[in-house]
Every structure is written in C-alpha cells, then in structure tokens.
Amino acid sequence: MIGEPRAGFGAEQSAMTTTGAATETAFDRDKRALLEALAEACESVRLGAILAQGQDLAARCGSGASAGDLDAAADAISRMDLDDIAGLIRVGAARFHLLNKAEQLNIVRVNRRREVASVDGPARAESIDQALETLAGRGMDARGVRAVLDKVDIGPTLTAHPTEARRRTVLDKQADVAASVLRLSRDDLTPCEREETLGRLQRVISLLLTTDEVRQQRLDVPAEVRNGLYFIRTTIWKAVPRLVRDVAAAARRTYGHEQQEIVANDLPTLIRYRSWIGGDRDGNPNVTADVTARTLGLMRETARELWDAELSRLHDALSVSSEALGADAVPAHEPGDDSSREPIRARIEAMRSGLQSSDDACSQWLLEGLLDIRRALLDSGLAGLRRVAEEGLLADAIARARAFGMHLATLDIRQHASVHARAVGELLGLAGVEGSYEELEEEGKLAVLRQELETSRPLVRDHARLSSPSAELMATLAVVRDAVARDPHSVRCWVISMTSHLSDLLAMVLLMREAGVAIQIVPLFETVDDLANAPALMDLALAEPAFRSHIEATSGERPEQEVMLGYSDSNKDGGFMAANVALHVAQQRIAEVFQQHKVELRYFHGRGGTIGRGGGRAGRAILSTPPSARSGRLRFTEQGEIITFRYAMPGMARRHLEQIVHASILAQAHRPDEGDTAPAFELLGRIAAQSRDAYRQLIDHPKFWDWFVQATPVEHIGGLPIASRPVSRATGARLRFENLRAIPWGFSWIQMRAIVPGWYGLGAVLSELDADERAGIGHAVEAGSFLSAVLENAKQEMARARLAVFRRYALAAEHGQEMLALVESEFERCKAALAEITGSTDLMQHSPVVGQLIAERNPWTDVLNLAQLELLQRYRGGEPSQQERIRPVLHASINAIAAAMQSTG
C-alpha cells in the first residue's frame, strides 16, 4: 500500500489510462506470470497447501469484509500450528515482493512508452524535456535556461537509518526476478529461450520461498557502507551521466541543434551524492573514528576500481593517432613515456598508473586529466573528433569525474550538540580557562567562546586526558582533517543534531580550530519548537563575527551556509499538521534572514520514507516549498527502503533523478509573480497549534503508552537486526515515548494499519474552521499550493489505513476501547472535513489507480495482520521456550507486512 516508495508510482498513476489498454494488459500479464510462477514454486517446496489456505483466507478479507469475516479468518489462523503460520507469512511476503517488482517494472515500461510517444507529442510529465519546454513557453531563451542550470545543485544523501528490513540476498533475488520478467516481455524469444527463462524465474522464486527474510545478525557499519556503495557503483554510477545526456537532448528538442550547445556544453554537475553511512554517529556508538577512517578508505578504494575500469574503456576506444591531433597535443605526464604514436592512450595509461600509485590522485587531478584529453580532441579541428570529445564515453567520464571524483560520495559527519558541549567543557577545563562550562547559562557560554575564539592558541596539545567520548570526538576531527587535506570533496559538512542555541554553533567552530580543520557546520533543527526558533537563531549566527568568518572560510566566491530541517522528530513531537506547517514557515523565514545577511542558503531536508517522516513525491515536495526558499541548491536524505526502491533498477533511478531535476529547475526559475497561495501564516499557525493540541492529547493520555506498548509490535521491531544504529534509546520497562526514535514510532503504526503519524490531528482543526476559512483552504488546494500537497499526503495515508484491522490490535491491549475511540473519532472527523473541502468522499480521487492498488492489496495484507495478531497473543502468553520459537516468526511477520505496505518507518 503505498508509502513513500509508492509515491514514485503515484507520480505515474495516470499513465496506465493515458497510454491505453496495452500498458494495462502488460502490467496484468506481468502480475499473472509472477503469481503463476509463485504457485508452481510453492508446490515445488511443499507450500502449495499453505498458498491455497492463504488464498481462501484472503477471499474472506478485503475492503468489503465484515467484522464476522475477519473473525472467521482469525479463527482459522488460530487453529494453525506455528510452522503453518510461518509458511503463510513466507508465502504472503513473497507474493508482495513479486507484486512490488511488477509495479516497478510497470513504472519503467510506462515511462519508456511515454518517451516514445513524446517524440511527436508533448513532453513526458516531470521530465527534463517538460521543464525546458515550460521555461521556453515563458519566453526564456537558451542562455536563460543555462543560467538556471548553473544554479541547480542537488545532493541526494544516502543514510543507513534502519528502514530496510530485507536482506541483501533477498534483494538480489528480487533483481533476478525483474530480469526474468523483462526477458519474458520480449517478442523475439525462441520457445527454448522462453522455457529457459520461465524455469529460471520459478527457480529464483523457489529460493525466495526458502530463504530467511530476516537476517540472523544485526548489520555492522562496514556492511552498511558496502550496501550503500553497491548502489553507487551500479545504478547511480550509470544514471548520473545519463542525466547529462537527457539535458542535452532536451535542449536540442526545445531550442534546436544550434542553441543546444549554449544550454548543455560543459554542463556543471547537477547531482552530487552525499552519504551519512559511516559518518553519522548521533545515537550510534558503533560509528567510531576508526570506522569513519575505514569508510573513507573503502570509498576511495572503490573509486580507484571504478575509474580503472572507466579509463580502461577509454583507452580501448580513444585510439587516435598523433597525426590527427598534432604534436604534443596531450602530454603523458609520465617521464620516458613514448606518446608519439597514440598520445591520448599514453595519457590514459599514465592516469591509470597514477590511480594505483599515488595518494595525490584527488578528484581535481582526475577531472583535469580528462579535460586535457577533451581539449586535445577539440583542438584537432576535426568534426568527427569533436563529437568524440562531447558525446559518448569521454563525456560520460567527465560527468562522472565531476559528480563522483575520487571520493564517490561526500561523507557527512553528524553528532549531537551535547557531545560537542561536553568536549568543549573538558578542553576549557584542562586549559584552565573555565571549569564549569556546561553549567553556564547561554550568555556565559557565549562570553567564554567569543573570548577563546579571538585567540589562535590550541587549548590542549595532548587529548589523552579527555574522557572517552571527547577523545573519540577529537579523533574523528583528526580523521576529517587528514581526509580533507587529501581531497577537499571527501568530507564537506559536520551536522549538529538538536541545535538550539548559538553556543552550539560556536562550540563546533572552537573544536574545529582545535583540530586544525575547517568544513561547513550545519545546524539541524528537529523539533517543532526548534523550527520556530530557527530563524532568530540563524539571524544571530549570521551576525556573529566568528561564525561568519567560518562561513566565509568554508565557502566559494560567495558565502554559503547549509541548514538542515528534521522531518521525523518534528512529526513525532507535534503531529502531522503541526510539523508540516512548522517546516513550511521555518523555510520561508530562514530564507528571509539569509537574504538580509546576503548569504546563500542551501536547505538540507532530513526526509524519511513515510509521509509522517516527510516522505511523498520528491518533486512535488520541492515545488511546494515557499518561493523565497527556492534556490536550486538543496539536499535531502534517502534511507533504507527508499534507496532500494529508487536505485534497484536503472530505469527507476533515471526516473527519480529526472523528477527531482525537473522540479529543481522549475522551482529555481519561478516567476516573480508566483507566490504561495496558502492561507496567511496567522491561520497556518492556528491550524498547527490546534492540530498539535489534538495530537498531544492522544500521546500524552495517561493510558496511552501502556496501551501502545501492549497493542503494537514495537518491542519486536526493536529486536529486528536491520541496521547498526539502535532503533530505540531504551528497551523493556525503560522504553518510553520520549526515548523511542521516530522510525519505530511510525513503523509500529504502519504495522497495525492506523498510520497515525500521517494524518492525526488534522480533523480536529479542519472541522472547526468557519466557512470563509474552509473556502480559503479549498482555494489553496485547487491552486496546488503547499496545503494541497499536505492534504493529498494525508488522504493517501488515510486511504492506506484499515481501521477494521487496527481495531483488533487496539482491543487486544488494556485500555484498548478508549484508545480506539480516540483514533476512530479523529479519523471520521478528518475524513468528513476533507470531503467538505475537496468536494469528494473518495480519499484517492486525485490518484484512482493508486487507490485501486491499495484495495487490491488489502485482502492478503489483512491475512498477514491476522497472523501477526495471533503470534503476538501466543508470545505474550507463552513460556520462554515458546517465545524463543515464536520470535523469529514474529520478525518475519513484521517484514511481510512492511512488504505489503511498502513502507516501514
């Protein structure tokens, strides 16, 4: 059912109808082939009877099922032994994995069809073609478009947050399934080839059915790094140069061959990947200075391997003689090398040698070598070599050098502000400057920091006397210093979690001075209150001489500062509407502060996968930001299941990248008369406050937490070995709302099908608006404003919810009737208010195909929920030995429901 990953499909939801019956038939054919292969595989591994039983149970469930139907299905499951329930979950999980893959394949197929159709028709929606056509339609010429592209700088940031429940071996088998289905769709297969492919498909599905879904041991950080590198070195490595080619093709289509060069020649990097994997130590004690050093080394070594292969391909292709180029066209930079016959090949060989033998092989060295080769080809004056210089392998290599360099993805470091404060306090105490820094009020801290930053002396030469956490922090700074000295692109930012005071920023300036390193310091504003205070804090920071000097020292020609916004904790803290409004208002007001101080602003959006954690259609999110906040420069996190969904297939990766570039172009090039049609901040503020009050009434209810822990599988989610980072800060009796992380919070609500973080609190405020206010919001929705995106997201999450199933979870725990009444009444109130504002009782009227997919998935998802409920009941009433047997099956049920809902936390 469609979480953020499914939002990608939501963007294509009209395609199945607009491209005609052939596309729909192809999609149905894929599903039928996969389900038939599943049935045969089930028979081959003795799960045929379980599949039949599951189909019978699913027939009793679904959107139209009555309470009696669900009771009958639950009763049937209660009579199954544990092995049969495990088999039912295994079959259900495999079924949804196959359906998910069929939908991904359909997205790729739809976009290929639309691309073919666009040759003689309108450009594809959310494509780069469409973005350039839009700008041309507004009267912008080729030079204007190039000026827009020069400002686009997008940084997708891979993180290792624990939201991918599938094992790598399961993901690999799903990729094999996709390859088999794609092959079966070809019309030129011989009967023998078709039979072989069907056999391969059935074998892979048989292996899926007999492979444990949940890994036995928790991932360590190096394994997470390797997982992230897998996507960088495969689909992402291929997708980035393809994006550059797409821009050139769009320019040619829109402005013609003569003007194409103005737009696309020597195009700067539009996409640069970042990573937190191996650098994010906030709440993860497993990320140490040594781990960060090894991460940087592994990324560099992977880059060497990729570039050796890339240069080898160039060497094979660029067999240009010296007669064609002229004397000394490409100096080999290698003493004694005979480059007289094939100078380009000689230069490439010298570069390959430099890759392996020198630590000085940095990103700039690599790019300069490739640009030298291109210049030599262009200087030849031959039209054929000009094409070789500007298209094909060399152009792709230059695009990769600009995007990936020798670092692949720039690593961020993140740590909590309190860790920095403790280290500063220890350093000041050891230096005899201030013995009680952490106990000072804010003004006292600032006075000490300002005084110390006016000096240039180190506080402590020997960090051995520091406590273990502080010594570890200084060791990490030393790793960063060495990495930046080798390649400035390797580490660019240090993110401060829970930034709330100016002293948090100045403390980091002092720590960097102590360590002899200067990279950008990025404040992260996470809670609703911190977001509200962020504009004032940034106003102080940009006016602070020490911090302003640090900005200028770490910027290019113009001072630039990055600000990170947290979507997960703000939602958990204040609820859906309050978080969305706080984030929207903060973006506009922070942007206004930066304009006053004449500092370039880059927003870093800490989005999660689900709607409640900032998920949704990435392009839509970019275009719904306040106009003053649209600069073309932005970053956003991509984590767990989102990475897998977006980058598991080349076609999906390409579509994702073109959607965000399309949105960034249009957002950065917005017209001066374009404004947000959302209601005034005063009304938005009242909506946010009232919805937050309603949300807090639920989670602050004295009976809520005991009920939540009993009703949900939250404690079992904490036991899933899906990432190195703990999913909660405490367990057992110490597990409270305050120390539960946002991911398992959302994960739990999704598992029991209420999805409270995606809508709760909205009904309380919308139902209380007067007629004029409702009309104003309705107008904003029709105009496609920020509120339109928010309300569409809420409707989608409500459509994914299944209160008939949630009721069973709620009533299985103490105080269930009371908690159920609160959730059900708010749901109905929200649904009625949305119907009045939008004029439709159909929550998915804006996306009917997605609504249909939700309905089709409900029956089997209900079966999985009923199985999980039975397991929870047996676990709670079982002896320790029984619990030990039930636990892995419970974990498998969590994974299966995640596959069905296509989202975790």
Side-chain angles (χ1 to χ4, degrees), residues 637-685:
T637 52
E638 301 193 296
Q639 49 189 255
E641 70 206 21
I642 306 305
I643 297 173
T644 303
F645 179 81
R646 289 174 172 168
Y647 299 112
M649 299 169 59
M652 293 293 292
R654 181 195 177 199
R655 181 57 174 160
H656 169 54
L657 293 184
E658 74 172 354
Q659 284 177 316
I660 58 177
V661 170
H662 162 274
S664 297
I665 290 171
L666 295 184
Q668 195 269 327
H670 66 277
R671 294 189 299 261
D673 61 335
E674 285 182 336
D676 189 0
T677 56
F681 280 176
E682 181 181 354
L683 176 57
L684 283 178

Coordinates of all heavy atoms in Angstrom, one line a residue, residues 637-685:
T637 N 17.7 13.5 2.4 CA 18.2 12.2 2.8 C 17.4 11.2 2.0 O 16.2 11.3 1.7 CB 18.0 12.0 4.3 OG1 16.7 12.3 4.7 CG2 19.0 12.8 5.1
E638 N 18.1 10.1 1.7 CA 17.4 8.9 1.1 C 17.9 7.7 1.9 O 19.1 7.5 2.1 CB 17.8 8.7 -0.3 CG 17.4 9.9 -1.2 CD 17.6 9.6 -2.7 OE1 18.7 9.4 -3.1 OE2 16.5 9.7 -3.4
Q639 N 17.0 7.0 2.5 CA 17.4 6.0 3.5 C 16.6 4.7 3.4 O 15.5 4.6 2.9 CB 17.1 6.5 4.9 CG 15.8 7.1 5.1 CD 15.6 7.9 6.4 OE1 15.0 7.3 7.3 NE2 16.2 9.1 6.5
G640 N 17.4 3.6 3.8 CA 16.8 2.3 3.9 C 16.0 1.8 2.6 O 16.6 1.7 1.5
E641 N 14.7 1.6 2.8 CA 13.9 1.0 1.7 C 13.8 2.0 0.6 O 13.6 1.6 -0.6 CB 12.5 0.8 2.3 CG 11.8 2.1 2.6 CD 10.7 1.9 3.6 OE1 10.7 1.0 4.4 OE2 9.8 2.8 3.7
I642 N 14.0 3.3 0.8 CA 13.9 4.3 -0.2 C 15.0 4.2 -1.2 O 14.9 4.3 -2.4 CB 13.9 5.7 0.4 CG1 12.8 5.9 1.4 CG2 13.7 6.8 -0.7 CD1 11.4 5.5 0.9
I643 N 16.2 3.9 -0.7 CA 17.4 3.7 -1.5 C 17.1 2.5 -2.4 O 17.4 2.5 -3.6 CB 18.7 3.5 -0.7 CG1 19.0 4.7 0.1 CG2 19.8 3.1 -1.6 CD1 20.1 4.6 1.1
T644 N 16.6 1.4 -1.8 CA 16.4 0.2 -2.6 C 15.4 0.4 -3.7 O 15.5 0.0 -4.8 CB 15.9 -0.9 -1.6 OG1 16.9 -1.1 -0.6 CG2 15.7 -2.2 -2.4
F645 N 14.3 1.1 -3.3 CA 13.2 1.3 -4.3 C 13.7 2.2 -5.5 O 13.5 1.9 -6.6 CB 12.0 2.0 -3.6 CG 10.9 2.3 -4.6 CD1 10.0 1.3 -5.0 CD2 10.7 3.6 -5.1 CE1 9.0 1.6 -5.9 CE2 9.7 3.8 -6.0 CZ 8.8 2.8 -6.4
R646 N 14.4 3.3 -5.1 CA 14.8 4.2 -6.2 C 15.9 3.8 -7.0 O 16.1 4.2 -8.2 CB 15.1 5.6 -5.5 CG 13.9 6.3 -5.0 CD 14.2 7.6 -4.2 NE 13.0 8.3 -3.9 CZ 13.0 9.3 -3.0 NH1 14.1 9.7 -2.4 NH2 11.9 10.0 -2.7
Y647 N 16.8 2.9 -6.5 CA 18.0 2.6 -7.2 C 18.2 1.2 -7.5 O 19.3 0.8 -7.9 CB 19.2 3.2 -6.4 CG 19.2 4.7 -6.2 CD1 19.0 5.2 -4.9 CD2 19.3 5.5 -7.3 CE1 18.9 6.6 -4.7 CE2 19.3 6.9 -7.1 CZ 19.1 7.4 -5.8 OH 19.0 8.8 -5.7
A648 N 17.2 0.3 -7.3 CA 17.4 -1.1 -7.5 C 17.4 -1.4 -9.0 O 18.0 -2.4 -9.5 CB 16.3 -1.9 -6.9
M649 N 16.8 -0.5 -9.8 CA 16.8 -0.7 -11.3 C 17.2 0.6 -12.0 O 16.8 1.7 -11.6 CB 15.3 -1.1 -11.7 CG 14.8 -2.4 -11.1 SD 13.1 -2.6 -11.4 CE 13.0 -2.6 -13.2
P650 N 18.0 0.5 -13.1 CA 18.4 1.7 -13.8 C 17.3 2.6 -14.2 O 17.4 3.8 -14.1 CB 19.2 1.1 -15.0 CG 19.6 -0.2 -14.6 CD 18.5 -0.8 -13.7
G651 N 16.2 2.0 -14.7 CA 15.1 2.8 -15.2 C 14.4 3.6 -14.0 O 14.0 4.7 -14.2
M652 N 14.4 3.0 -12.9 CA 13.8 3.7 -11.7 C 14.7 4.8 -11.3 O 14.3 5.9 -10.9 CB 13.6 2.7 -10.6 CG 12.5 1.6 -10.8 SD 10.8 2.4 -10.9 CE 10.6 2.9 -9.2
A653 N 16.0 4.5 -11.3 CA 17.0 5.6 -10.9 C 16.9 6.8 -11.8 O 16.9 7.9 -11.4 CB 18.4 5.0 -10.9
R654 N 16.8 6.5 -13.1 CA 16.7 7.6 -14.1 C 15.5 8.4 -13.8 O 15.5 9.7 -13.9 CB 16.7 7.0 -15.5 CG 16.7 8.1 -16.5 CD 16.3 7.6 -17.9 NE 16.2 8.7 -18.9 CZ 15.6 8.6 -20.0 NH1 15.0 7.4 -20.4 NH2 15.5 9.6 -20.9
R655 N 14.3 7.7 -13.6 CA 13.1 8.5 -13.4 C 13.1 9.3 -12.2 O 12.7 10.5 -12.2 CB 11.9 7.4 -13.3 CG 10.6 8.1 -13.1 CD 10.2 9.1 -14.3 NE 8.9 9.6 -14.2 CZ 8.5 10.7 -14.8 NH1 9.4 11.5 -15.5 NH2 7.3 11.2 -14.6
H656 N 13.7 8.8 -11.1 CA 13.8 9.5 -9.9 C 14.6 10.8 -10.1 O 14.2 11.9 -9.7 CB 14.4 8.6 -8.8 CG 14.8 9.4 -7.5 ND1 14.0 10.2 -6.8 CD2 16.0 9.4 -6.9 CE1 14.6 10.7 -5.8 NE2 15.9 10.2 -5.8
L657 N 15.8 10.7 -10.7 CA 16.7 11.8 -10.9 C 16.0 12.9 -11.8 O 16.2 14.1 -11.5 CB 18.0 11.3 -11.4 CG 18.9 10.5 -10.5 CD1 20.2 10.2 -11.1 CD2 19.0 11.1 -9.1
E658 N 15.4 12.4 -12.8 CA 14.8 13.4 -13.7 C 13.7 14.2 -13.1 O 13.4 15.4 -13.3 CB 14.4 12.8 -15.1 CG 13.1 12.0 -15.0 CD 12.7 11.6 -16.4 OE1 13.3 12.0 -17.4 OE2 11.7 10.8 -16.5
Q659 N 12.9 13.5 -12.2 CA 11.8 14.2 -11.5 C 12.4 15.2 -10.5 O 11.8 16.3 -10.5 CB 11.0 13.1 -10.7 CG 10.1 12.3 -11.6 CD 9.3 11.3 -10.8 OE1 9.9 10.6 -9.9 NE2 8.0 11.1 -11.0
I660 N 13.5 15.0 -9.8 CA 13.9 16.0 -8.9 C 14.6 17.1 -9.6 O 14.6 18.3 -9.2 CB 14.8 15.4 -7.8 CG1 16.0 14.6 -8.4 CG2 14.1 14.5 -6.9 CD1 17.0 14.1 -7.3
V661 N 15.3 16.8 -10.8 CA 15.9 17.9 -11.6 C 14.8 18.7 -12.2 O 14.9 20.0 -12.2 CB 16.9 17.3 -12.6 CG1 17.3 18.4 -13.6 CG2 18.1 16.7 -11.9
H662 N 13.8 18.1 -12.7 CA 12.7 18.8 -13.3 C 12.1 19.8 -12.3 O 11.9 21.0 -12.6 CB 11.6 17.8 -13.7 CG 10.2 18.4 -14.0 ND1 9.3 18.5 -12.9 CD2 9.6 18.8 -15.1 CE1 8.2 19.1 -13.4 NE2 8.4 19.3 -14.7
A663 N 11.8 19.3 -11.1 CA 11.3 20.2 -10.0 C 12.2 21.3 -9.6 O 11.8 22.4 -9.4 CB 10.9 19.3 -8.8
S664 N 13.5 20.9 -9.5 CA 14.5 21.9 -9.1 C 14.7 23.0 -10.2 O 14.8 24.2 -9.8 CB 15.9 21.3 -8.9 OG 15.8 20.3 -7.8
I665 N 14.6 22.7 -11.4 CA 14.7 23.7 -12.5 C 13.5 24.7 -12.4 O 13.6 25.9 -12.4 CB 14.7 23.0 -13.9 CG1 16.0 22.3 -14.1 CG2 14.4 24.1 -15.0 CD1 16.0 21.4 -15.4
L666 N 12.3 24.1 -12.3 CA 11.1 25.0 -12.2 C 11.0 25.7 -10.9 O 10.6 26.9 -10.9 CB 9.8 24.1 -12.4 CG 9.7 23.4 -13.7 CD1 8.3 22.7 -13.8 CD2 9.8 24.4 -14.9
A667 N 11.4 25.1 -9.8 CA 11.4 25.9 -8.6 C 12.4 27.0 -8.5 O 12.1 28.1 -8.1 CB 11.7 24.9 -7.4
Q668 N 13.6 26.8 -9.1 CA 14.6 27.8 -9.1 C 14.3 28.9 -10.1 O 14.7 30.1 -9.9 CB 16.0 27.2 -9.4 CG 17.2 28.0 -9.1 CD 17.6 28.9 -10.3 OE1 17.4 28.5 -11.5 NE2 18.1 30.1 -10.1
A669 N 13.5 28.6 -11.1 CA 13.2 29.6 -12.1 C 11.8 30.1 -12.0 O 11.2 30.5 -13.0 CB 13.3 28.9 -13.5
H670 N 11.2 30.1 -10.8 CA 9.9 30.5 -10.6 C 9.7 32.0 -11.0 O 10.7 32.8 -10.8 CB 9.4 30.3 -9.2 CG 10.1 31.1 -8.1 ND1 11.4 30.8 -7.6 CD2 9.8 32.3 -7.6 CE1 11.8 31.7 -6.8 NE2 10.9 32.6 -6.7
R671 N 8.6 32.4 -11.4 CA 8.3 33.8 -11.8 C 8.2 34.7 -10.6 O 7.7 34.2 -9.5 CB 7.0 33.9 -12.7 CG 7.1 33.2 -14.0 CD 5.9 33.5 -14.9 NE 4.7 33.0 -14.2 CZ 4.1 31.9 -14.5 NH1 4.6 31.1 -15.5 NH2 3.0 31.5 -13.9
P672 N 8.5 35.9 -10.7 CA 8.4 36.8 -9.6 C 7.0 36.9 -9.0 O 6.8 37.2 -7.9 CB 8.9 38.2 -10.1 CG 9.8 37.8 -11.3 CD 9.2 36.6 -11.9
D673 N 6.0 36.7 -9.9 CA 4.6 36.9 -9.5 C 4.1 35.6 -8.9 O 2.9 35.5 -8.5 CB 3.7 37.3 -10.7 CG 3.7 36.2 -11.8 OD1 4.7 35.5 -11.9 OD2 2.7 36.2 -12.6
E674 N 4.9 34.5 -8.9 CA 4.5 33.3 -8.3 C 4.6 33.4 -6.8 O 5.6 33.7 -6.2 CB 5.3 32.1 -8.8 CG 5.0 31.7 -10.2 CD 5.9 30.5 -10.6 OE1 6.9 30.3 -10.0 OE2 5.4 29.8 -11.5
G675 N 3.5 33.1 -6.1 CA 3.5 33.1 -4.6 C 2.8 32.0 -4.1 O 2.0 31.3 -4.8
D676 N 3.0 31.7 -2.8 CA 2.3 30.5 -2.2 C 0.9 31.0 -1.9 O 0.7 32.0 -1.3 CB 3.1 30.1 -0.9 CG 2.5 28.9 -0.4 OD1 1.6 28.3 -1.0 OD2 3.0 28.4 0.7
T677 N 0.0 30.3 -2.4 CA -1.4 30.6 -2.2 C -2.0 30.0 -0.9 O -3.2 30.1 -0.7 CB -2.3 30.1 -3.4 OG1 -2.1 28.7 -3.6 CG2 -1.9 30.8 -4.7
A678 N -1.1 29.5 -0.1 CA -1.6 29.0 1.2 C -2.1 30.2 2.0 O -1.7 31.3 1.8 CB -0.5 28.3 1.9
P679 N -3.0 29.9 3.0 CA -3.5 31.0 3.8 C -2.4 31.7 4.6 O -1.3 31.2 4.7 CB -4.4 30.2 4.8 CG -4.8 29.0 4.1 CD -3.7 28.6 3.2
A680 N -2.7 32.8 5.1 CA -1.7 33.6 5.8 C -1.1 32.8 7.0 O -1.7 31.9 7.5 CB -2.3 34.9 6.4
F681 N 0.2 33.2 7.4 CA 0.9 32.5 8.5 C 0.0 32.5 9.7 O 0.1 31.5 10.5 CB 2.2 33.1 8.7 CG 3.3 32.7 7.7 CD1 4.5 33.3 7.8 CD2 3.0 31.8 6.8 CE1 5.5 32.9 6.9 CE2 4.0 31.4 5.9 CZ 5.3 32.0 5.9
E682 N -0.8 33.5 9.9 CA -1.6 33.5 11.2 C -2.5 32.4 11.2 O -2.7 31.7 12.3 CB -2.4 34.9 11.2 CG -3.2 35.0 12.5 CD -4.0 36.3 12.5 OE1 -3.8 37.1 11.6 OE2 -4.8 36.5 13.4
L683 N -3.2 32.1 10.1 CA -4.2 31.0 10.1 C -3.4 29.7 10.1 O -3.8 28.7 10.8 CB -5.0 31.0 8.8 CG -6.0 29.9 8.6 CD1 -6.9 29.7 9.8 CD2 -6.8 30.1 7.3
L684 N -2.3 29.6 9.4 CA -1.5 28.4 9.4 C -1.0 28.1 10.8 O -1.0 26.9 11.3 CB -0.3 28.5 8.5 CG -0.6 28.3 7.0 CD1 0.7 28.5 6.2 CD2 -1.2 27.0 6.7
G685 N -0.6 29.1 11.5 CA -0.1 29.0 12.9 C -1.2 28.4 13.8 O -1.0 27.6 14.7

